[in-house]
Amino acid sequence: MPLSLFSIPTIVLLLSVFVSYYCIIYYNKAVPMANNGILFISNAAKAHKLCSKISKCVKNVLYINFNSGPESTLSIVNKQIIDIYSKVPKNMKIDIRLMLKPRETGNKITTNNAIELIMYDKDLANEVDNLKFSLTNIRENVDIESVENEENACEDVKEDVKVYDYVALGGTFDRLHNGHKILLSQAVLRAKKHVTVGVTDLDMIQSKKLWELIQPIEIRIKAVLDFLTDINPDLEYNVLPIQDVYGPTKDDPHFQLLVVSEETSRGAIKVNEKRKENGLNPLDVYTIGLAEDTNQQSYEEEAKLSSSNQRMRLLGTILREPRPNPNIPKHPYVIGLAGGIASGKSSITEKLKLKGAAILNCDVIAHELYKPGLPLNHTIAESFGSDVITDGGEVDRRKLGAIVFSDKSQLQRLNSLVWPAVIQEAQKRIKALGEAGSSVVVMEAAVMVQAGWYKYCHQLWTVIIPPEEAVKRLQARNNLSEVEAKQRVSAQPSNQEQVALANVVFSPYWSYEHTQGQVDRAWENLQIYLQ
């Protein structure tokens, strides 16, 4: 049936479905899209240009494997590492892995991900069967396709690549990105026997932007080891947590080379000073330039490739898939909005209200339950004395706060009185909002996590800012001293505790536009989920 018989929207839909399952190599050949693939090339000099051509044929991981020979020297491979990982087309999201051990006839090739698509340049046309049988982790019905050659694909930059038996490097390695891959690949390229990678543990990450979103160290170590064994399985690897800038380099005489980035080069000076103190030879240092982030999404982000940028892009996205909550009705859909005092919950709430959510503020409910004549007002007066009640019969929140925020036992006592009354009233109001037609209700509460009220919600969204910023905001807003503000901030769950339970995280720490973008993403994802 000719395409002219279809409407334009239908044609667009058909094309989008086609592109979802197929990629086009050189615009004239359709190839089934695979989760993981491998590109075999006759020499390393072709790596960057060929992988850029065929990267759309793979959804997840693309391996690149090259033959040994005069166009696969260490200096050429060195250049390809930089080009492949730093000259990334905008919005390319696949995981490219340049395998640094040249292919030898008869040797097996092991990958951590099963191969579904084999691609090869035409110079290897006579070796296709050998290429297929060299793979140890391959799908049964693997697709095999050829790609056009590239002429004069790379110039040898003639950089000498000195190799060492023992090489070391360190970093946070949160959500492994191309900057990390350059660092790790350059270390592996220069190692003949052993590579040690120090991964920064909890004490070393707390100064980083949005450190609460950094992956657990076990996940980061596994990701590093997975990448290393993919690019060269023949070396010895020791990937371990480190609690200081030195790690094992300060007292291990075996190490010869330390690989660092421009950003961490001062650490190399400290390491060699410490080695000198310990009577050891200084390490040679190889410094790698910072790679540009070609997907920079706002002026608040750094221009270089960084995990901080990636963490900022997680704000407003689904970090943990919601689970059905059989303890509450399906309608209305309840979002618990948590966050410490002065974190900016109210600004997020207002933006969600404009999106169409009904808002329920548990702090306001507590205020109302404090009113003269109500049971909670009387209970508080009995428990904390008549001094916390004004002449008009209202609860003096400042006097009450001075008592409870300086004594944890008193705070627990207050919570045991207030929390049950607040959640009971909140549930009544949620039901009423649903009956009135609200499909989404946002229940805002500073003590959402402490009180366990998130158990009465379908999702938990949380708002965080750096604690020192919260203290400044609280001082300005409530006219408190720094000591008073710190007491109130420290009396609440940490950002880390709140993030550990959250489905979605916001941070209104940057511009209005950046915060609005987070809310837009969260609301859009929620609508898709509810549909």
Side-chain angles (χ1 to χ4, degrees), residues 24-30 148:
I24 310 297
I25 300 182
Y26 301 102
Y27 306 99
N28 61 9
K29 187 173 183 180
E148 297 291 337

Side-chain angles (χ1 to χ4, degrees), residues 307-478:
S307 297
S308 297
N309 286 354
Q310 291 192 341
R311 290 193 294 275
M312 288 180 71
R313 293 166 196 168
L314 289 174
L315 297 171
T317 68
I318 298 173
L319 300 181
R320 289 173 186 81
E321 285 296 326
R323 296 180 180 179
N325 189 342
N327 301 316
I328 58 174
K330 292 183 179 180
H331 179 83
Y333 197 82
V334 182
I335 303 291
L337 186 66
I341 190 168
S343 62
K345 292 188 302 303
S346 297
S347 68
I348 300 296
T349 300
E350 285 302 311
K351 289 175 174 56
L352 290 171
K353 184 178 180 180
L354 292 173
K355 294 287 186 182
I359 305 300
L360 196 64
N361 189 316
C362 290
D363 200 31
V364 171
I365 292 176
H367 285 195
E368 293 173 358
L369 295 178
Y370 282 171
K371 285 183 179 179
L374 294 180
L376 189 58
N377 180 289
H378 180 68
T379 303
I380 287 174
E382 281 188 338
S383 301
F384 295 95
S386 58
D387 287 347
V388 300
I389 305 297
T390 67
D391 293 339
E394 301 279 351
V395 173
D396 188 325
R397 290 168 59 83
R398 178 148 191 163
K399 284 185 178 179
L400 183 60
I403 294 171
V404 300
F405 288 114
S406 60
D407 186 334
K408 285 188 176 181
S409 64
Q410 294 283 55
L411 181 60
Q412 290 171 355
R413 186 181 179 194
L414 176 65
N415 291 340
S416 69
L417 300 173
V418 174
W419 288 352
V422 171
I423 192 59
Q424 185 178 26
E425 180 64 22
Q427 287 181 294
K428 289 180 185 177
R429 297 189 187 189
I430 288 169
K431 182 180 179 182
L433 287 167
E435 291 172 348
S438 296
S439 57
V440 176
V441 175
V442 173
M443 183 169 71
E444 177 191 342
V447 297
M448 180 71 64
V449 171
Q450 282 171 296
W453 293 343
Y454 61 89
K455 296 173 185 176
Y456 300 94
C457 304
H458 296 98
Q459 288 191 42
L460 174 63
W461 295 3
T462 195
V463 185
I464 63 172
I465 58 171
E468 58 274 15
E469 177 66 17
V471 168
K472 290 178 184 177
R473 292 183 182 184
L474 193 55
Q475 283 183 266
R477 189 187 76 183
N478 291 22

Side-chain angles (χ1 to χ4, degrees), residues 504-515:
V504 175
V505 174
F506 302 103
S507 184
Y509 182 59
W510 293 278
S511 66
Y512 175 91
E513 292 77 15
H514 194 273
T515 303

Side-chain angles (χ1 to χ4, degrees), residues 211-351:
W211 71 268
E212 299 90 348
L213 299 183
I214 293 177
Q215 294 171 311
I217 193 164
E218 298 82 10
I219 292 176
R220 291 182 281 135
I221 286 176
K222 183 181 183 301
V224 169
L225 194 55
D226 182 79
F227 180 78
L228 293 173
T229 53
D230 261 345
I231 64 173
N232 188 347
D234 289 352
L235 296 178
E236 298 173 355
Y237 295 113
N238 182 23
V239 185
L240 75 164
I242 55 173
Q243 284 73 40
D244 56 41
V245 69
Y246 310 108
T249 58
K250 64 180 178 292
D251 50 22
D252 190 330
H254 292 94
F255 290 117
Q256 300 159 310
L257 174 69
L258 184 61
V259 177
V260 298
S261 69
E262 288 179 359
E263 194 175 44
T264 59
S265 58
R266 286 182 296 176
I269 297 171
K270 292 182 177 180
V271 166
N272 277 333
E273 287 174 350
K274 181 64 69 174
R275 286 177 68 88
K276 185 177 180 180
E277 290 176 15
N278 293 337
L280 299 175
N281 292 328
L283 302 176
D284 286 353
V285 177
Y286 183 75
T287 304
I288 297 168
L290 299 174
E292 179 185 358
D293 189 339
T294 58
N295 289 310
Q296 190 176 7
Q297 296 179 7
S298 68
Y299 69 86
E300 287 97 346
E301 293 184 354
E302 297 173 315
K304 65 180 179 68
L305 269 174
S306 74
S307 297
S308 297
N309 286 354
Q310 291 192 341
R311 290 193 294 275
M312 288 180 71
R313 293 166 196 168
L314 289 174
L315 297 171
T317 68
I318 298 173
L319 300 181
R320 289 173 186 81
E321 285 296 326
R323 296 180 180 179
N325 189 342
N327 301 316
I328 58 174
K330 292 183 179 180
H331 179 83
Y333 197 82
V334 182
I335 303 291
L337 186 66
I341 190 168
S343 62
K345 292 188 302 303
S346 297
S347 68
I348 300 296
T349 300
E350 285 302 311
K351 289 175 174 56

